[in-house]
Amino acid sequence: AELPGRAGRRYLVTQGMSHEVWLEQLRRGTLDLAILLTVSEGPRYGLAIIQHLEAFTDLVVTEGTIYPILGRLTREGLLEAEWVDGEASHLVALSEIGQARVHGYLFVLRQSLKTFLPPDVVSDAVREIESHLRERIDAAAPVPDERAALEKILSELGPPSRVAQAYSAERTIDEAVATGRVVPMLRAVWHLAVSTVAGFFAALGLFVGYLTGAAFLILAVMKPIFPDNVGFWVRTDESGAIPLKLGANFTPPANETVVGGYWVILLCLVLGLAILVGTHRGARGFLRWWRERHRS
C-alpha cells in the first residue's frame, strides 16, 4: 500500500497469512540463517551449534529441533555431514546399503497401502510417511553403527503392513469426519469393522440404520403406485381390528386389510429421512470419538 505523503512503497504481510503464522515462518527463517552463519565459521557438531546459539543469540534450540533442521539443510545442499574419528555429526547421509534398506521398506509399505487406499492417494501417503521416516533418521542420536541405528528406527516405526493399516485408517477416518460424505464414512467404518470389536458393532448399527431408513423411503415411493398394497395393515377377527405393521403386502390373507391414505407417504418420508440423518450423524460422532480417543 502507498504511504500517504511519502515516496515509495511499504510492504505488508501477505493477505490470508495470520500474524502467528507469519511469526512462525520468520522464526524458522531466522533459525536457518543463524545455523548457516554458525557453521560458516567452521564445521561443528549439532551440540556445538546449540551451545553457540545459546551463547550468542536469544534463540532456544534443543537437540530434537536442531537435527531435523540440519537434515533438511543437508538435503537442500546447504550443508554436508562428515565422519570424524569414527563418529558422524548426525545420521543423515545414509550409505547405499542404508538407502536400499529404506527404499525396500517404502516399497513394501506402498504395496500394503494399495490394499487399503485408492491408487490416487497411495503416492501422497508414501511421500508423507517417507518424510516422517527421514525426519526420525535425521533426529537420531549420533552412532557409528548405521545399520543398528536404522533398524532401531524402522522397528520403532513398525512393520510396513501395520503402518499401512494404521495410516490408512487414520486418513480415512479424518476424511470421513471432515467431509461427512457417505462413501468415506462407509469406508472408515469398514476399516474399523474388520479390525476392532467396537468397529464391528458400529458397522452393524450403521447397516441396520441405513437399511431401515431406505425401507421407509421405498414405501413412500410405492404408496402412490400400489395404494391398495402399501400402508398400515390390520387383522380383523372376533375381537376386532388388530394393527400388524406398516409395510407392503401383495398377497394379503382374507382377514387382513390396508388402512391409511396418501398421508402415509408423508409419514414414511419423515421417518425414513429422520432415521438416515440420525444414523449418519451417529456414525460420524462415533468416528470423531474414535479419532480423539486414539490421539489422546
Side-chain angles (χ1 to χ4, degrees):
E2 289 283 358
L3 286 171
R6 296 181 60 182
R9 294 178 181 270
R10 67 175 182 177
Y11 296 88
L12 307 178
V13 177
T14 303
Q15 262 189 333
M17 180 183 293
S18 66
H19 183 64
E20 291 76 11
V21 174
W22 180 77
L23 288 177
E24 179 63 22
Q25 295 294 333
L26 179 62
R27 180 185 179 279
R28 290 181 181 179
T30 302
L31 185 55
D32 288 0
L33 180 59
I35 292 174
L36 293 175
L37 290 175
T38 301
V39 178
S40 67
E41 300 174 1
R44 296 176 187 265
Y45 290 100
L47 183 59
I49 296 176
I50 294 175
Q51 294 170 344
H52 180 87
L53 294 177
E54 290 178 348
F56 296 99
T57 72
D58 295 329
L59 298 172
V60 179
V61 186
T62 64
E63 291 188 40
T65 303
I66 195 72
Y67 286 110
I69 296 176
L70 292 175
R72 175 170 53 80
L73 294 176
T74 301
R75 289 194 299 272
E76 293 174 356
L78 299 176
L79 292 178
E80 292 182 358
E82 297 179 346
W83 284 84
V84 180
D85 296 330
E87 294 185 356
S89 56
H90 48 85
L91 184 62
V92 292
L94 292 175
S95 65
E96 291 185 5
I97 296 177
Q99 291 287 3
R101 178 71 177 90
V102 171
H103 290 160
Y105 182 94
L106 294 175
F107 174 79
V108 178
L109 177 66
R110 179 184 294 273
Q111 300 304 117
S112 300
L113 284 171
K114 288 180 179 179
T115 64
F116 297 105
L117 295 175
D120 57 332
V121 300
V122 169
S123 296
D124 291 338
V126 172
R127 280 195 295 268
E128 183 176 340
I129 297 175
E130 180 181 6
S131 176
H132 174 69
L133 173 60
R134 294 195 180 277
E135 284 181 2
R136 295 189 65 172
I137 293 174
D138 294 340
V143 291
D145 190 347
E146 175 192 90
R147 179 179 178 181
L150 184 57
E151 290 300 329
K152 182 175 183 294
I153 292 172
L154 294 178
S155 65
E156 290 174 351
L157 190 60
S161 58
R162 192 175 68 188
V163 173
Q165 184 175 3
Y167 177 87
S168 59
E170 180 179 354
R171 183 175 184 131
T172 304
I173 291 173
D174 286 343
E175 181 185 1
V177 172
T179 65
R181 294 198 298 266
V182 175
V183 173
M185 294 273 291
L186 293 176
R187 194 161 55 229
V189 173
W190 172 255
H191 266 288
L192 297 180
V194 298
S195 58
T196 66
V197 176
F200 171 79
F201 285 106
L204 183 62
L206 184 66
F207 174 76
V208 172
Y210 277 141
L211 187 63
T212 303
F216 277 110
L217 295 181
I218 292 174
L219 288 177
V221 173
M222 292 176 61
K223 178 61 178 177
I225 303 175
F226 307 102
D228 297 328
N229 300 98
V230 177
F232 286 95
W233 289 89
V234 297
R235 178 182 299 164
T236 305
D237 53 22
E238 295 80 4
S239 59
I242 303 174
L244 295 178
K245 64 180 179 179
L246 170 63
N249 194 342
F250 292 93
T251 57
N255 62 339
E256 291 185 9
T257 57
V258 63
V259 298
Y262 286 107
W263 56 268
V264 173
I265 299 175
L266 179 60
L267 178 63
C268 290
L269 285 175
V270 171
L271 289 176
L273 291 175
I275 293 174
L276 288 177
V277 171
T279 301
H280 192 74
R281 289 184 176 179
R284 193 175 184 184
F286 169 77
L287 292 174
R288 186 181 293 109
W289 168 81
W290 181 274
R291 183 181 65 176
E292 298 303 323
R293 178 189 172 203
H294 285 75
R295 286 184 177 178
S296 59

